[in-house]
Amino acid sequence: MIQKKLVESNHVIVGSGIHPYWEENENQPVASPRYQMLMDYLNLSRNITKSDLHHFPEYAAFICGSQVQLDVSKSNYLRVINAFTQIEGAKAYLFANSEFTGEDWDTKISRDIFWEESMHGIYPENVGVNARLFDDEDDFFDYLDHSVIFTAERDGQTYYFYPIQAREYLSTSEIQAYALNGDEILIYPQEKDFETHRSYQYQDLTTRGTVEFRSVCTQPLDSTFASAVFHLGLLVHLDKLEAYLETAPFFKAFGRNYKFLRRQFSKKNLIAEEKTAIIEFSKDLVLLAEEGLKMRNKQEMSYLQPLKEELGL
């Protein structure tokens, strides 16, 4: 229904993780200081000679994600983060939807490269798949200590600066910062700056008591809700999910380097052995999610249908 209205103004919803006309798109941030700051911050990559940063700092204005936040508790949030870190390989296969025509990248999820090889990913703990599972809360917060702070507010103004890891922030004596109009000033770290601190891990614990799942591309319109119910069903079935992941044949074959698995199974072409294994792994997870949704008894299972059809279930 909305497409008919949008097309009158030469707009359309395409259900893609990347703007198909990214080169022609007016790649401007949403008109708020926060988003202007983020674009300006990403643009700092042009001043860094580090060779493995990509050359598209405006990417934040032409990529789209399908994010879902689910309530967690103090007793289960770490279990949720650890469990969902382990299934990033399957999510890469099931939800990849952002091939990029501007570079010859062998991936169906260019969003990963845009995030990880930008200013957000200079410190790898700040973005993407967690490098490891966490033993306990102290281990998790030590990991977060390696995420970065790059923005602060003073007198109602938003400033940004080159990234500083959280563990070193308060001991930094002064910071050369930039205002949105380009002015340079010196600011001094304050504890309150942590209130606006955000890292960009794919399983992100928020101050709202949720885990925000951030690794899925915007999906085709007919499967818009598939990702949300996939996560929800697995969360409901967390005990069974954890038990399954302990012995899943997929890991026996391909190991447990979760960052590697995410990148490997988002490649454009998989060999037969890889494809067979990832399809079986994905089938098991989708069926687990379906069981979890049935337990909720809210008729949400139909949203999984596109995934089931794709996997031949």
Side-chain angles (χ1 to χ4, degrees):
M1 289 172 68
I2 200 172
Q3 298 284 36
K4 293 175 187 172
K5 190 68 183 170
L6 288 172
V7 80
E8 294 171 12
S9 304
N10 297 313
H11 282 69
V12 66
I13 300 173
V14 294
S16 172
I18 196 157
H19 195 304
Y21 299 102
W22 60 272
E23 285 183 283
E24 290 90 49
N25 185 39
E26 188 179 324
N27 295 316
Q28 297 298 316
V30 176
S32 83
R34 174 88 188 170
Y35 286 98
Q36 178 65 56
M37 175 276 297
L38 282 169
M39 295 292 279
D40 290 350
Y41 169 72
L42 289 170
N43 212 36
L44 289 176
S45 64
R46 299 190 188 279
N47 305 332
I48 291 183
T49 54
K50 191 180 174 189
S51 60
D52 58 353
L53 296 186
H54 61 69
H55 305 296
F56 303 92
E58 72 281 15
Y59 75 88
F62 63 72
I63 67 170
C64 286
S66 173
Q67 295 171 193
V68 60
Q69 299 195 35
L70 299 177
D71 291 331
V72 291
S73 65
K74 193 165 183 180
S75 62
N76 78 357
Y77 79 87
L78 205 53
R79 293 171 57 203
V80 171
I81 289 170
N82 279 342
F84 281 86
T85 291
Q86 296 175 67
I87 65 170
E88 282 293 347
K91 284 169 62 176
Y93 179 75
L94 287 171
F95 301 114
N97 194 31
S98 60
E99 285 191 38
F100 183 54
T101 56
E103 289 283 354
D104 186 23
W105 293 337
D106 184 16
T107 181
K108 294 180 178 180
I109 312 180
S110 64
R111 292 175 67 252
D112 283 9
I113 294 176
F114 284 133
W115 280 103
E116 293 169 22
E117 296 179 19
S118 73
M119 291 296 294
H120 285 318
I122 287 177
Y123 294 97
E125 297 93 344
N126 193 58
V127 70
V129 181
N130 295 326
R132 65 175 194 273
L133 305 185
F134 302 112
D135 297 329
D136 52 32
E137 192 167 88
D138 288 341
D139 190 28
F140 175 59
F141 280 99
D142 178 65
Y143 192 79
L144 290 188
D145 242 2
H146 292 72
S147 65
V148 303
I149 293 184
F150 58 85
T151 183
E153 293 180 4
R154 296 289 184 272
D155 301 320
Q157 298 296 311
T158 299
Y159 298 95
Y160 63 97
F161 39 86
Y162 285 92
I164 301 169
Q165 287 188 305
R167 60 183 177 156
E168 297 170 353
Y169 185 71
L170 291 175
S171 61
T172 302
S173 56
E174 59 183 27
I175 300 168
Q176 171 122 18
Y178 304 90
L180 298 185
N181 65 4
D183 289 350
E184 297 183 24
I185 69 160
L186 285 177
I187 66 170
Y188 304 92
Q190 297 178 9
E191 272 190 36
K192 70 168 189 174
D193 298 338
F194 280 87
E195 293 172 13
T196 53
H197 168 50
R198 289 191 76 181
S199 55
Y200 294 89
Q201 286 111 2
Y202 287 163
Q203 273 69 243
D204 191 34
L205 182 65
T206 76
T207 56
R208 294 175 293 279
T210 65
V211 168
E212 182 175 358
F213 301 98
R214 319 174 60 126
S215 63
V216 172
C217 302
T218 291
Q219 295 298 289
L221 297 190
D222 60 358
S223 53
T224 292
F225 292 100
S227 166
V229 294
F230 175 77
H231 288 82
L232 177 59
L234 291 176
L235 180 62
V236 171
H237 234 0
L238 184 59
D239 289 346
K240 200 162 181 181
L241 173 62
E242 289 173 322
Y244 167 74
L245 292 173
E246 278 183 23
T247 59
F250 177 75
F251 297 118
K252 291 187 175 74
F254 295 99
R256 287 184 175 272
N257 181 333
Y258 305 112
K259 281 183 179 283
F260 165 79
L261 293 174
R262 167 87 177 174
R263 192 58 64 91
Q264 184 67 21
F265 287 92
S266 63
K267 287 188 172 180
K268 293 175 181 175
N269 295 294
L270 301 175
I271 62 173
E273 178 192 3
E274 291 172 330
K275 191 155 188 178
T276 301
I278 197 66
I279 287 174
E280 289 308 309
F281 185 38
S282 300
K283 279 181 179 178
D284 289 343
L285 293 172
V286 168
L287 291 173
L288 268 177
E290 187 176 44
E291 280 182 25
L293 295 172
K294 284 177 180 172
M295 288 161 58
R296 283 170 53 80
N297 196 29
K298 294 182 185 291
Q299 278 62 61
E300 296 150 326
M301 291 82 72
S302 59
Y303 291 124
L304 280 179
Q305 201 56 34
L307 297 182
K308 292 179 70 175
E309 288 174 10
E310 184 184 333
L311 294 168
L313 285 167

